[in-house]
Amino acid sequence: MEIKVLIISLIFFVILYTVCRLLIDNGFVKNFTFGYLTTVLNFVLMSRKLRKVFSGDFNSYSLFGYVFRLSFILLLYVIWFQNQKVNIWGLLVGISLIPLTIPLVVIIDERRKTDGTST
């Protein structure tokens, strides 16, 4: 399901990126892209960790990985805020693509399981 989320969010990203590139300033587009890429990075690292935990490979170092991942993402945002002119709307739209895609993928997947609708 992780791959489906990434593919559908990438489709939304490409569409929104193209529209924003044509209609809105570069600051919005840069922050939109940065927000999306950091969210994808966070999602991929989190899904790997959750897959390990649910497969039974949970150990005391799993907590360190969680803290490291969040600290790394925080460091990326701190560096971004210090070195770039931040457009908060672009950043929020980029960050929200993955969380908005997850329920859509779950609905599509559940619908496919219940009534055989193809995806």
Side-chain angles (χ1 to χ4, degrees), residues 37-94:
L37 292 177
T38 55
T39 307
V40 166
L41 175 68
N42 189 30
F43 178 73
V44 168
L45 292 175
M46 180 185 61
S47 66
R48 282 186 194 165
K49 183 61 70 176
L50 285 175
R51 195 170 289 132
K52 281 184 180 180
V53 167
F54 286 119
S55 70
D57 292 339
F58 184 75
N59 54 24
S60 61
Y61 297 110
S62 294
L63 181 63
F64 176 73
Y66 171 76
V67 172
F68 177 74
R69 178 177 49 86
L70 288 181
S71 300
F72 180 70
I73 297 296
L74 177 66
L75 180 67
L76 285 177
Y77 278 108
V78 167
I79 291 170
W80 183 260
F81 285 166
Q82 288 177 348
N83 297 326
Q84 297 291 325
K85 182 179 177 192
V86 176
N87 182 324
I88 195 69
W89 293 110
L91 196 61
L92 288 175
V93 170

Side-chain angles (χ1 to χ4, degrees), residues 87-105:
N87 182 324
I88 195 69
W89 293 110
L91 196 61
L92 288 175
V93 170
I95 290 171
S96 65
L97 269 178
I98 295 282
L100 291 175
T101 306
I102 292 171
L104 179 67
V105 170

